[in-house]
Amino acid sequence: MNGTIGLIGLALVLATPAFALPTETEVESATVEIRSRVFSPQQIHLHHDRKALLRFRNHDTELHTVVAMDLFLHPDLNLGGNGAPEFGPDGLKRVIIPAEGVIEFEFTPARTGTFSYLCDMPGHNMQAVIVVE
Ligand SMILES: [Cu+2]
């Protein structure tokens, strides 16, 4: 009798899925394409408390920047790609994306809301938003 219960117990343990460790598939990724001084799409949707990989790909033959104070305030922000980050007294100010370059922001959105960002190169009138749901 005890042996049977033991076997059932063992079967239950074996049937329980292993711990769900964070994997790449749980990272939400989105790419903003930059062409002819336009961020596309104009709106990116991310989720609160879900790790995000946000990529900006510059298809133009000129520099662009991403200026996004709210985006840069995340304590777990990691920068990737071949951009040039610039720092001011308040921390990361902007990231310059070279022609044909790519930059990546990996972070976990800490709060919901609509956060706008822009390119501050002279004469560029480029702006778009990130909506965190
Ligand atoms: Cu620009």
Side-chain angles (χ1 to χ4, degrees):
M1 190 61 187
N2 275 348
T4 309
I5 291 170
L7 276 180
I8 292 170
L10 179 63
L12 283 175
V13 168
L14 291 176
T16 307
F19 277 103
L21 294 170
T23 61
E24 286 300 310
T25 55
E26 288 180 35
V27 176
E28 193 165 38
S29 76
T31 302
V32 176
E33 312 285 351
I34 304 171
R35 280 192 181 89
S36 308
R37 298 189 179 182
V38 175
F39 289 117
S40 176
Q42 280 284 290
Q43 209 174 81
I44 285 287
H45 290 259
L46 298 177
H47 291 88
H48 172 242
D49 275 349
R50 195 183 300 174
K51 202 172 183 88
L53 178 65
L54 184 56
R55 187 178 289 121
F56 291 81
R57 199 182 298 276
N58 181 5
H59 297 273
D60 289 342
T61 52
E62 61 182 342
L63 302 177
H64 291 295
T65 69
V66 172
V67 183
M69 277 318 294
D70 291 311
L71 178 65
F72 297 158
L73 293 176
H74 292 88
D76 72 337
L77 177 68
N78 271 310
L79 272 178
N82 60 356
E86 285 191 352
F87 296 87
D90 301 322
L92 183 59
K93 202 174 69 176
R94 65 177 187 171
V95 183
I96 300 170
I97 320 170
E100 316 283 351
V102 177
I103 59 169
E104 291 178 336
F105 298 95
E106 198 175 36
F107 64 104
T108 308
R111 59 193 172 94
T112 58
T114 300
F115 307 99
S116 64
Y117 62 90
L118 54 87
C119 166
D120 69 349
M121 293 300 280
H124 295 204
N125 188 18
M126 304 165 59
Q127 195 169 346
V129 299
I130 295 162
V131 179
V132 179
E133 295 162 345

